[in-house]
């Protein structure tokens, strides 16, 4: 009951000072809200375990060839078989690949993602069947039929949870698979954890992979994923060391695809595969939010200190009637706790709104986006932040207030009776810290702004405006001849070109910023590589003759493809990009040169003559030049992207283009329907989100720092009004008074800027990986930050300085 009474008195005391209480609540709400929102993102994305049994032992394998600029690529069944035989680090090892598939049986037509996997796939994940069974070793045998396991979500959505689906077929009339099991609920198979070459957001069907021994020894089809579960007692470093030994052994045996190049197999924890690309950025944002909360705490400390000083007479009376210092401190702490939890409530509301906005408009490539929420752990974090603020800020300010002698408390005398103290004082030190932290946040935001501006200025090598793209994939059982494929493509291009608003149509495999990649070593006639030079790697992209015009890729020299180049009897021709030409023939004419490859993984192995050079395209992202590229003419549409150049809004054409494709072949799967502007925007999305959050933090820190400086100077002016009146009565001019006040504020601001400057030199190194084209010590950003923050500090000091200059000497001396 005594605690309840104390809280009631504390709430009443806060109510009697609504202005200062509201400021404290808002300041705390901003600090706690920002930190809580970012913590909810970090907690959901980075700290929440993956929904798989023994998830911390699951790893993915990728191949890497650093000498050939290959950082992460899929593997082949041959590599899987060798690793399975030679490795002792894994309890289980699974091979799989995937993509989109069309379902027409047992319901309306629907496109879903599928995986084709070995039976060990489910054992790696620790998956269980809710109904029926999962794959067995027998399903891996070469003569076994392909069978299907459905996700729980697809089973409920498409088949209404009917257990009779077991034993029935799913697929289309052209290809179908018997359903043998239903996965347990809560086992997501998504593109974040399983980024297959086919590229889907989620996978609702898992098909078995019956393979003969010969097919499992295939080294050319490098389009497979491998995941494994480490044995108990084996860590990632030990598994990586073993993979390095196996990689060197395979290289010595001449089994690797890149002859003469060092190919490594990297062991990547599954959690790193899901969130590795955003981990550093999220920790950076949480650090920035923590700095903002620190500024809010310092601001609240100053506000509470000023508020306590103004109540010294009241507290003195409490002391005079028998209240001890401990009782007074407890009472003040109760008041601070009430304010802190009110700020906490406001902060949670702000965090909830922020998280809702992030989930709605956040970048599609932010992993685990839909898991982000303000949950019990987030609320606990917010409450602990509020408690910490109440104890640190409130307790320190309360101890400072009651440290004065009781007789002075009763008298309620002014603390200095000077317009401003001779020394900076405790409040000044706190404001200096606020300004310095604000400088760090403002500088970080400035560096990100300049970095993003550099990113926006990058020319991707193609025109994105007015381009609609669709991925077309024919059924896996379709065996269409090249002549039939060219006929279907010609009909498709012709009918789509006739649609209103369509300017041109083309196809490409793969698309810039699209799923999949085709690359490998190349041979150039007349070029003898130095003995220590690794094989030269180039991208291979199959395009229709209209591709370059449709994508707005500039012709540098020679000619583009035409319809004659796609005929079966046409002489083989190639178009290369500027990067390719500059590497092999700097300052020379590349026209008429012959290039080729012996790598059978490509659909075209003949040598070809160079007939044109086009501008280099950044296929993999704006921040990397990527690899040199050669283009091959292609007149088919199997597993390709369709590009439609429009004179109208591309989104308007989605429905009519889809209807044309369906009318030509209803079994073609259409996925990844997006505009090129959307793809380009997504390439910048994560940086853009981080930039917006950092700008918000910097803006709030700037305002809070200005409020803190204003409060200290304004309190000094209010406390020293009699001295101001006396100075003016003795002949001090308005300019003298302005100089007096501004010089004190300038001293605090200058010290804060100086400390922030040197602190930023160390802190900004932590965000160097998030910058593009900008140094962490960029002088322009440092100067601009100091200029902006200095101007805001001058404004914060100018307002109380003007009020001091307007003091009436007679009134001031009379009141004293």
């Amino acid at each position: 009951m005594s605690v309840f009474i104390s809280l009631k008195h504390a709430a009443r005391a806060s109510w009697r000072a609504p202005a200062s209480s509201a400021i404290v609540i808002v300041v705390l709400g901003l600090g706690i809200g920002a930190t809580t929102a970012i913590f909810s993102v970090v907690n959901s994305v980075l700290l929440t375990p993956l929904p798989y049994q023994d998830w911390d032992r699951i790893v993915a394998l990728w191949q890497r060839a650093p000498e050939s600029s290959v950082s992460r690529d899929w593997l082949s069944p041959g590599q899987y078989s060798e690793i399975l035989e030679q490795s002792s680090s894994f309890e289980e090892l699974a091979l799989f690949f995937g993509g989109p598939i069309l379902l027409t049986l047992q319901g309306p037509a629907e496109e879903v993602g599928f995986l084709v996997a070995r039976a060990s796939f489910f054992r790696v994940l620790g998956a269980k069947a809710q109904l029926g069974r999962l794959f067995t070793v027998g399903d891996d045998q070469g003569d076994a039929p392909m069978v299907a396991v459905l996700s729980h979500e697809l089973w409920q959505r498409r088949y209404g949870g009917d257990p009779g689906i077991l034993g029935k077929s799913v697929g289309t009339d052209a290809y179908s698979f018997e359903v043998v099991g239903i996965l347990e609920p809560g086992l997501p198979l998504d593109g974040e954890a399983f980024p297959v070459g086919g590229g889907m957001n989620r996978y609702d069907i898992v098909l078995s992979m019956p393979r003969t021994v010969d097919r499992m020894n295939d080294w050319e089809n490098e389009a497979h994923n491998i995941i494994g579960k480490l044995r108990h007692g084996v860590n990632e470093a030990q598994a990586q060391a073993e993979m390095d030994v196996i990689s060197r052994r395979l290289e010595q045996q001449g089994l690797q695809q890149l002859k003469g190049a060092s190919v490594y197999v990297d062991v990547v924890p599954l959690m790193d595969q899901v969130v590795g690309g955003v981990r550093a950025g999220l920790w950076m944002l949480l650090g920035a939010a923590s700095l903002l909360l620190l500024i809010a705490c310092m601001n609240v400390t100053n506000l509470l200190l000023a508020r306590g000083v103004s109540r010294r007479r009241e507290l003195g009376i409490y002391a005079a009637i028998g209240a001890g210092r401990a009782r007074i401190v407890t009472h003040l702490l109760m008041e601070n706790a009430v304010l802190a939890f009110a700020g906490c409530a406001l902060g949670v509301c702000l965090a909830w709104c922020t998280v809702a906005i992030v989930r709605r408009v956040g970048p599609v490539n932010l992993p685990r986006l839909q898991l982000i929420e303000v949950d019990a752990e987030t609320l606990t974090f917010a409450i602990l932040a509020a408690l910490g603020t109440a104890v640190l800020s409130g307790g320190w300010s309360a101890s400072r207030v009651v440290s004065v002698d009781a007789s002075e408390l009763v008298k309620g005398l002014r603390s200095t009776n000077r317009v401003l103290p001779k020394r900076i004082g405790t409040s000044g030190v706190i404001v200096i810290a606020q300004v310095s932290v604000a400088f760090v946040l403002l500088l970080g935001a400035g560096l990100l702004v300049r970095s993003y501006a550099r990113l926006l200025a990058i020319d991707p090598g193609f025109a994105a405006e007015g381009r609609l793209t669709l991925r077309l994939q024919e059924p896996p059982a379709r065996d269409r001849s090249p002549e039939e494929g060219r006929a279907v493509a010609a009909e498709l291009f012709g009918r789509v070109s006739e649609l209103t608003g369509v300017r041109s149509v083309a196809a490409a495999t793969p698309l810039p910023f699209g799923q999949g990649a085709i690359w490998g070593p190349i041979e150039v006639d007349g070029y003898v590589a130095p003995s220590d030079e690794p094989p030269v790697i180039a991208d291979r992209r199959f395009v229709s003759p209209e591709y370059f015009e449709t994508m707005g890729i500039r012709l540098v020299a020679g000619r583009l493809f035409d319809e004659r180049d796609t005929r079966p009897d046409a002489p083989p021709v190639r178009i290369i990009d500027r990067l390719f030409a500059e590497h092999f023939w700097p300052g020379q004419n590349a026209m008429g040169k012959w290039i080729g490859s012996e790598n059978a993984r490509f659909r075209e192995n003949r040598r070809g003559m160079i007939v044109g050079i086009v501008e280099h395209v950044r296929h993999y992202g704006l921040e990397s030049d990527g690899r040199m590229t050669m283009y091959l003419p292609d007149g088919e549409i199997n597993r390709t992207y369709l590009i439609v150049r429009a004179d109208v809004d591309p989104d308007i054409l989605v429905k009519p283009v889809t209807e044309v494709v369906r009318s030509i072949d209803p079994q073609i799967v259409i996925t990844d329907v997006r505009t090129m502007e959307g793809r380009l925007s997504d390439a910048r999305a994560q940086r853009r989100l981080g930039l917006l959050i950092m700008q918000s933090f910097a803006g709030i820190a700037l305002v809070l720092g200005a409020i803190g400086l204003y409060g200290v100077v304004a309190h000094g002016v209010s406390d020293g009004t009699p001295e101001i009146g006396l100075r003016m009565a003795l002949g001090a001019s308005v300019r003298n008074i302005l100089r007096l006040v501004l010089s004190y504020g300038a001293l605090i601001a200058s010290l804060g800027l100086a400390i922030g400057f040197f602190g930023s030199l160390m802190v900004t190194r932590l965000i160097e990986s998030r910058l593009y084209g900008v140094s962490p010590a960029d002088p322009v950003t440092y100067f601009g930050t100091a200029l902006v923050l200095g101007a805001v500090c001058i404004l914060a000091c100018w307002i109380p300085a003007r009020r001091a200059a307007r003091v009436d000497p007679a009134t001031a001396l009379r009141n004293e």
Side-chain angles (χ1 to χ4, degrees), residues 394-406:
W396 188 83
S397 58
S399 65
R400 293 286 297 176
V401 169
V402 299
S403 62
V404 181
D405 185 77

Side-chain angles (χ1 to χ4, degrees), residues 468 470 499 650-661 673:
L468 174 68
L470 311 87
L499 295 174
D651 291 325
I652 298 176
L653 295 173
V654 173
K655 184 177 180 180
V657 171
T658 302
E659 290 175 350
V660 169
V661 175
V673 181

Side-chain angles (χ1 to χ4, degrees), residues 681-735:
S681 177
D682 286 344
R684 306 167 178 144
Q686 287 187 7
R687 284 189 175 274
R688 184 168 59 245
L689 178 64
L691 171 63
L692 291 175
I693 294 175
M694 279 293 294
Q695 285 179 315
S696 301
F697 289 174
I700 295 172
L702 191 63
V703 171
L704 294 181
I707 290 175
L709 182 57
Y710 168 82
V712 168
V713 177
H715 179 72
V717 169
S718 176
D719 203 37
T721 299
E723 182 185 344
I724 295 174
L726 180 60
R727 284 174 179 265
M728 298 183 72
L730 294 176
S733 65
V734 171
R735 180 177 297 179

Side-chain angles (χ1 to χ4, degrees), residues 192-203:
E192 294 171 355
F194 312 106
V196 300
M200 294 290 289
N201 291 330
R202 58 173 293 134
Y203 307 97

Side-chain angles (χ1 to χ4, degrees), residues 525-574:
D525 282 6
Y527 178 78
V528 179
S531 58
D532 58 345
E533 180 180 296
V536 179
I537 300 298
D539 274 358
R540 288 201 171 196
R541 296 184 178 263
F542 298 85
V543 301
S544 67
E546 306 83 3
Y547 174 73
F548 301 103
E549 179 186 354
T550 301
M551 287 293 291
I553 300 175
R554 184 173 63 88
L555 178 66
V556 176
R559 69 172 179 88
L560 300 177
F561 296 140
D562 56 39
E563 295 297 334
R564 296 170 299 178
D565 297 321
T566 63
R567 297 173 182 171
D569 57 348
V573 294
R574 306 288 184 266

Side-chain angles (χ1 to χ4, degrees), residues 6 11 94 134 161 327 331 366 417 446 470-471 492 499 552 563 600 617 628 646-647 686 705 758 761 773 776:
S6 298
L134 302 181
R327 181 85 177 263
H331 176 71
L366 178 63
N417 211 34
L470 311 87
R471 189 167 193 248
L492 177 62
L499 295 174
E563 295 297 334
V617 174
M628 63 183 74
D647 292 325
Q686 287 187 7
F758 290 107
L761 291 175

